């Protein structure tokens, strides 16, 4: 579910969904051309931007840039800051995060100059949202903490701003849920919900109920998620907030489609209702999203004929919006439909088109899905050589994605480490200057009082004591800064551990599929002669599972203080396999992720967890993961 940009809902305007009516746009543009008053022109451009920001990004950007030009010419700093804010939002809506952040930075400087910490805090949150949406979660959290400092400054000079605090918790909840830290996310979302209810802010309350629902969905508590989203939906209906009513309705439909078994009637009702709501307010973006979700549901229930019809409608809207991301998603789904219908040539055409689009917009994860589907098509056709080539491309791209994510995280940590290191050095230099100044004052005082006998002796003793205290203080600062650097090193090791975990998941999936392919190739003597030796060498190269486990153990042991020795002290008869399971649980991995890493079914993981719990002498009501987190 997409949440409100903080700048719109808190700082600038109440969120109201304005349908894109050509007559209204034409009237405002004519009025703008006739007006010679700069302030009136800026107000008109703001209204034009509001109408187009969700559906016509190009014009929304043009209106914001025109407002910037007028405000700069007239030297209207407040209006200039507002125009840069709108430009940042427009770029963010089309995922141009770098340009969005540049615009936000210019607005921030203007608000700092005007001494408006509340606005600075909100814009820093918007930058955090950009980093979150770009999967740079460490940077997102860094900007959230910067935002909190300005929020505290606002509270100290004015009043406690509950709306900013609500959004602070809401955005942190969104960042944590995308990092997979669902319990932390729940804590922030529940706090935001409590605050919004306390100040009787229905919109914020509904938004944060939706976040709590999404957290429960991530934790596979789908029924609880439906309950929260339905409560949120009731509020949106009462407020006639059709935009978010449509989004929430679609989310509920997706949840019903994810239940096992699928609740078809409920899923179909909510997904069709979402389409009707999107048509009612005539917002193409919502229409396309609702159609895509309904189409994917139809594929899931194998209603391929209707799915074709739905994706045909969606693709027409997508072409009009020039949204290559959504078009790539549609093409991939159409390839899947044609594969199931046995139309292999058409399936290949759609899937290769999806692959090209995903390459053009730089979606590595999307390219992985395309190669995986091409592998399935070629395998079904009996073209095992092409299937193998697709699998090799999939593996190479998977490794590239792993290394890129690792590099991005390392760069983010390095920037933060260098920044804090510089701050530490500056703090130490300041302390040293203070100490030297104090010593200089002491020397001067000592010379002045030298001839006063006993009184001079007492004064000098006092000054030495003061210098000693200053040195202690300096040592304390140095120690605290070193401890902070140590914490950063531990944080980096945690990121390495997470990366290694991802690598294990991808590796085990690849090995399992490659083994299955090898069995099929063995049935064809001609193909066997050509490919078998190369396949065996590749499989041996990739099958170093024990070595990967040892690497994982070394990272895990550094981060979690000899976890395996601690658990062995509790249960001396514990096996290496059970220690491996306990380590994955300590990493807060889900049952499905653990099953993938161990190459077993999820039910087997549940049974192993039960046996591990007994071996650790835990009671029935004790939480295994919570216990392991204490070690």
């Amino acid at each position: 579910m997409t949440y409100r940009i903080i700048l719109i809902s808190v700082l600038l305007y109440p969120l109201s969904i304005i349908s894109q009516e050509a007559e209204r746009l034409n009237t405002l543009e004519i009025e703008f051309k006739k007006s010679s008053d700069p302030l009136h022109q800026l107000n008109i451009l703001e209204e034009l931007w509001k109408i187009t920001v969700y559906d016509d990004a190009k014009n929304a950007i043009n209106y914001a840039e025109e407002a910037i030009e007028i405000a700069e010419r007239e030297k209207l700093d407040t209006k200039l800051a507002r125009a840069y804010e709108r430009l940042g939002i427009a770029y963010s809506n089309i995922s141009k995060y770098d340009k969005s952040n540049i615009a936000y930075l210019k607005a921030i400087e203007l608000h700092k100059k005007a001494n408006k910490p509340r606005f600075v805090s909100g814009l820093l949150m918007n930058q955090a949202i950009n980093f979150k949406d770009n999967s740079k979660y460490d940077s997102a959290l860094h900007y959230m903490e910067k935002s909190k400092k300005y929020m505290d400054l606002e509270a100290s000079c004015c009043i406690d701003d509950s709306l900013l605090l609500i959004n602070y918790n809401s955005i942190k909840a969104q960042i944590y849920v995308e990092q997979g830290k669902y319990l932390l996310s729940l804590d922030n979302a529940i706090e935001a919900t409590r605050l919004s209810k306390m100040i009787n802010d229905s919109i914020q309350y509904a938004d944060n109920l939706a976040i709590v629902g999404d957290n429960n969905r991530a934790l596979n508590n789908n029924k609880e998620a439906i309950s929260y989203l339905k409560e949120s939906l009731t509020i949106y209906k009462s407020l006639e907030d059709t935009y978010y009513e449509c989004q929430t309705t679609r989310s509920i439909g997706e949840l019903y489609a994810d239940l096992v078994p699928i609740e078809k009637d409920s899923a179909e009702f909510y997904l069709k209702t979402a389409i009707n709501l999107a048509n009612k307010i005539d917002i193409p973006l919502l229409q396309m999203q609702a159609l895509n979700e309904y189409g994917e549901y139809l594929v899931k229930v194998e209603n391929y004929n209707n799915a074709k019809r739905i994706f045909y409608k969606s693709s027409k809207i997508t072409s009009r919006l020039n949204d290559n991301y959504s078009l790539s998603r549609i093409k991939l789904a159409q390839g899947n439909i044609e594969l199931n219908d046995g139309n292999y040539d058409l399936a290949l055409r759609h899937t290769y088109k999806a692959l090209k689009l995903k390459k053009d917009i730089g979606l590595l994860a999307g390219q992985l899905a395309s190669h995986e589907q091409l592998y399935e098509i070629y395998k079904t056709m009996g073209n095992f050589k092409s299937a193998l080539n697709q699998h090799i491309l999939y593996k190479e791209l998977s490794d590239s994605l792993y290394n890129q994510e690792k590099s991005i995280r390392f760069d983010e940590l390095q920037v933060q480490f260098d920044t804090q290191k510089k701050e530490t050095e500056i703090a130490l230099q300041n302390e040293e200057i203070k100490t030297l100044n104090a010593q200089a004052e002491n020397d001067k005082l000592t010379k002045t009082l030298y001839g006063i006998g006993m009184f001079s002796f007492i004064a000098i003793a006092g000054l030495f004591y003061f210098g000693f205290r200053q040195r202690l203080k300096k040592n304390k600062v140095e120690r605290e800064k070193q401890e902070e650097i140590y914490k950063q090193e531990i944080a980096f090791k945690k990121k390495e551990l997470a990366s290694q975990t991802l690598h294990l998941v991808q590796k085990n999936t690849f090995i399992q599929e490659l083994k299955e392919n090898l069995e099929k190739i063995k049935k064809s003597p001609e193909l066997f002669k050509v490919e078998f030796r190369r396949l065996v060498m590749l499989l041996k190269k990739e099958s170093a599972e024990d070595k990967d486990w040892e690497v994982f153990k070394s990272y895990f042991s550094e981060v979690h203080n000899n976890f395996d020795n601690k658990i062995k002290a509790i249960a001396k008869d514990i096996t290496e396999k059970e220690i491996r399971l306990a380590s994955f649980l300590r990493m807060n991995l889900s049952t499905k992720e653990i099953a993938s890493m161990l190459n077993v079914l999820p039910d087997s993981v549940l049974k192993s967890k039960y046996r591990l719990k007994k071996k650790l002498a835990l009671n029935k009501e004790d939480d295994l993961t919570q216990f392991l987190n204490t070690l």
Side-chain angles (χ1 to χ4, degrees):
M1 181 174 182
T2 303
Y3 300 101
R4 291 168 170 79
I5 294 175
I6 298 310
L7 199 56
I8 296 177
S9 62
V10 177
L11 300 179
L12 296 180
Y13 333 100
L15 182 65
S16 55
I17 304 307
I18 306 170
S19 61
Q20 212 174 2
E21 299 177 11
E23 186 177 347
R24 173 69 174 151
L25 281 169
N26 289 335
T27 302
L28 286 169
E29 286 179 347
I30 291 169
E31 187 180 349
F32 173 78
K33 289 176 182 177
K34 288 181 178 179
S35 176
S36 59
D37 180 2
L39 284 174
H40 185 51
Q41 287 181 323
L42 287 169
N43 289 335
I44 295 171
L45 287 169
E46 185 173 328
E47 289 301 315
L48 288 166
W49 177 85
K50 286 183 186 179
I51 295 172
T52 55
V53 67
Y54 294 106
D55 304 306
D56 189 352
K58 184 178 179 182
N59 274 326
I61 290 167
N62 288 338
Y63 292 136
E65 288 178 338
E66 197 164 358
I68 289 169
E69 185 180 341
I70 294 171
E72 282 183 335
R73 185 178 68 241
E74 300 296 327
K75 297 182 179 180
L76 300 170
D77 284 355
T78 300
K79 290 289 187 181
L80 181 60
R82 293 279 290 273
Y84 274 123
E85 289 164 2
R86 292 196 293 277
L87 182 62
I89 292 168
Y91 276 128
S92 181
N93 283 347
I94 57 173
S95 304
K96 292 189 176 180
Y97 302 118
D98 290 340
K99 289 186 175 182
S100 174
N101 283 333
I102 289 170
Y104 286 151
L105 281 171
K106 290 179 179 178
I108 286 170
E109 289 306 312
L110 288 165
H111 286 312
K112 283 181 179 178
K113 183 179 176 182
N115 193 26
K116 294 180 178 178
R118 183 172 186 263
F119 286 81
V120 174
S121 178
L123 286 163
L124 286 167
M125 286 190 209
N126 276 10
Q127 286 187 297
I129 292 173
N130 281 345
F131 283 113
K132 173 188 74 69
D133 291 343
N134 205 20
S135 300
K136 296 182 177 180
Y137 304 116
D138 295 306
S139 294
L141 289 171
H142 176 68
Y143 277 90
M144 286 303 296
E145 293 313 310
K146 287 181 71 174
S147 170
K148 185 66 165 59
K149 290 179 182 178
Y150 281 94
M151 193 189 311
D152 293 339
L153 182 61
E154 169 74 13
S156 66
C157 68
C158 304
I159 58 171
D160 179 32
D161 196 323
S162 297
L163 286 175
L164 278 176
L165 194 57
I166 289 167
N167 283 292
Y168 173 79
N169 282 285
S170 295
I171 298 169
K172 287 195 79 171
Q174 294 172 48
I175 295 169
Y176 283 135
V177 79
E178 292 190 22
Q179 284 184 301
K181 298 175 180 178
Y182 305 121
L183 294 177
L184 281 173
S185 180
L186 262 179
D187 288 343
N188 282 276
I190 289 169
E191 175 63 10
T193 306
R194 183 189 68 80
L195 288 168
S196 11
K197 191 171 185 179
M198 185 177 71
I199 66 170
N200 199 26
D201 188 328
S202 298
I203 290 178
Q204 289 285 345
Y205 183 60
D207 287 349
N208 288 296
L209 281 172
I211 298 175
V212 175
D214 283 350
N215 274 289
N216 276 286
R217 181 179 184 179
L219 291 165
N220 294 319
N221 301 328
N222 285 1
K223 290 187 177 179
E224 288 87 344
I226 289 170
S227 175
Y228 280 107
L229 288 172
K230 281 185 175 179
E231 186 179 352
S232 174
L233 180 61
T234 302
I235 298 171
Y236 290 138
K237 283 181 177 179
S238 69
L239 297 170
E240 297 183 356
D241 191 341
T242 312
Y243 187 96
Y244 283 94
E245 180 187 348
C246 176
Q247 284 201 330
T248 308
T249 301
R250 188 179 74 239
S251 294
I252 294 171
E254 292 171 31
L255 280 163
Y256 276 120
D258 288 341
L259 291 176
V260 181
I262 295 174
E263 292 194 15
K264 293 183 181 180
D265 292 340
S266 296
E268 191 142 336
F269 168 76
Y270 280 99
L271 290 171
K272 283 184 174 178
T273 302
I275 293 171
N276 292 334
L277 288 167
N279 290 336
K280 177 183 175 182
I281 55 179
D282 192 25
I283 294 183
L285 178 65
L286 288 183
Q287 292 170 331
M288 178 189 68
Q289 290 172 343
L291 287 169
N292 283 344
E293 293 299 340
Y294 185 48
E296 289 180 355
Y297 159 76
L298 291 172
V299 171
K300 189 179 287 187
V301 297
E302 299 180 358
N303 188 347
Y304 299 119
N305 287 333
N306 277 333
K308 280 185 182 179
R309 179 176 57 83
I310 292 298
F311 281 121
Y312 175 74
K313 283 185 179 180
S314 177
S315 62
K316 290 176 72 175
I317 300 172
T318 306
S319 298
R320 193 165 81 246
L321 293 175
N322 197 25
D323 187 341
N324 285 340
Y325 168 76
S326 295
L327 184 59
S328 71
R329 178 180 172 184
I330 291 167
K331 287 297 177 185
L332 196 63
Q334 288 175 327
N336 188 16
I337 293 168
E338 299 300 342
L339 169 62
N340 283 281
D341 283 350
N343 302 323
Y344 302 127
D345 289 341
L346 200 52
L348 287 171
R349 192 185 313 160
H350 283 309
T351 310
Y352 273 116
K353 176 64 175 176
L355 178 61
K356 183 180 183 304
L357 287 166
K358 291 178 187 298
K359 281 183 178 179
D360 290 344
I361 55 182
L363 292 175
L364 290 183
Q367 293 174 52
L368 277 176
S370 301
H371 284 301
E372 188 175 22
Q373 187 159 292
L374 288 169
Y375 163 77
E376 291 294 336
I377 297 169
Y378 282 124
K379 184 175 69 171
T380 306
M381 292 171 66
N383 187 345
F384 299 115
K385 185 174 181 179
S386 294
L388 178 62
N389 286 337
Q390 288 300 323
H391 216 308
I392 291 170
L393 289 171
Y394 172 90
K395 181 62 175 65
E396 289 174 351
L397 194 60
S398 176
D399 289 343
S400 175
L401 180 61
Y402 158 73
N403 290 328
Q404 186 184 73
E405 289 177 348
K406 180 178 173 183
S407 175
I408 288 171
R409 289 298 178 88
F410 179 80
D411 288 345
E412 288 185 63
L413 287 171
Q414 188 63 46
V415 168
Q416 290 186 37
F417 177 80
D418 290 344
T419 301
Q420 292 190 10
K421 185 178 178 182
K422 287 176 183 177
E423 290 174 352
T424 302
E425 289 173 353
I426 291 168
L428 289 172
Q429 286 173 2
N430 289 337
E431 287 298 322
E432 188 173 351
I433 289 169
K434 288 179 182 178
T435 303
L436 290 172
N437 287 337
Q439 287 176 350
E441 289 295 326
N442 292 344
D443 291 342
K444 183 178 179 181
L445 186 61
T446 301
K447 290 176 182 178
T448 303
L449 301 176
Y450 182 74
I452 307 180
M454 185 60 71
F455 181 78
S456 176
F457 173 77
I458 295 171
I460 292 169
L463 289 171
F464 276 120
Y465 176 72
F466 178 75
F468 175 72
R469 288 290 300 274
Q470 288 293 101
R471 284 194 294 274
L472 285 179
K473 186 177 178 182
K474 177 184 174 182
N475 291 337
K476 183 181 178 182
V477 170
E478 290 178 353
R479 185 170 63 254
E480 287 174 350
K481 297 301 179 181
Q482 288 300 322
E483 287 173 356
E484 189 62 28
I485 292 170
Y486 174 73
K487 288 177 183 177
Q488 288 294 320
E489 292 173 349
I490 290 295
F492 174 72
K493 289 178 181 177
K494 286 184 178 178
K495 301 302 177 184
E496 286 290 323
L497 179 57
S499 296
Q500 187 65 25
T501 305
L502 173 63
H503 182 58
L504 283 171
V505 173
Q506 294 170 341
K507 191 180 187 74
N508 288 342
T509 302
F510 169 75
I511 291 172
Q512 183 61 32
E513 291 182 357
L514 198 57
K515 286 179 180 177
E516 292 173 2
N517 194 32
L518 184 59
E519 291 297 326
K520 292 182 180 179
I521 293 174
K522 286 173 68 178
K523 296 178 182 178
S524 174
E526 294 181 2
L527 187 61
F528 175 79
K529 290 177 183 177
V530 176
E531 299 291 339
F532 183 71
R533 183 181 298 276
R534 187 160 66 89
L535 277 172
V536 170
M537 290 177 67
L538 181 60
L539 189 59
K540 285 181 179 178
K541 180 182 176 182
E542 298 295 334
S543 295
E545 182 178 347
D546 291 338
K547 183 178 178 181
D548 282 335
W549 167 242
E550 290 303 321
V551 174
F552 176 91
K553 274 181 65 178
S554 67
Y555 280 127
F556 192 88
S557 179
E558 288 183 54
V559 173
H560 295 290
N561 297 323
N562 296 318
F563 176 80
D564 53 346
N565 292 334
K566 291 179 181 178
I567 200 167
K568 284 177 182 177
I570 298 171
K572 294 183 179 179
D573 58 340
I574 194 165
T575 65
E576 186 69 17
K577 188 174 182 181
E578 287 169 334
I579 292 175
R580 188 177 303 192
L581 172 61
S583 299
F584 292 152
L585 290 171
R586 182 69 174 78
M587 287 284 294
N588 291 320
L589 297 181
S590 68
T591 300
K592 288 182 181 179
E593 290 169 331
I594 295 172
S596 173
M597 294 178 74
L598 298 178
N599 288 321
V600 297
L601 294 173
D603 286 345
S604 298
V605 176
L606 293 174
K607 290 176 184 177
S608 298
K609 286 168 70 176
Y610 174 74
R611 288 194 294 271
L612 177 59
K613 193 172 181 180
K614 287 184 66 176
K615 191 164 285 189
L616 294 173
L618 297 178
N619 296 325
K620 184 178 180 181
E621 61 275 9
D622 291 335
D623 186 286
L624 177 58
T625 303
Q626 187 176 359
F627 171 77
L628 293 172
N629 285 337
T630 63
L631 296 182

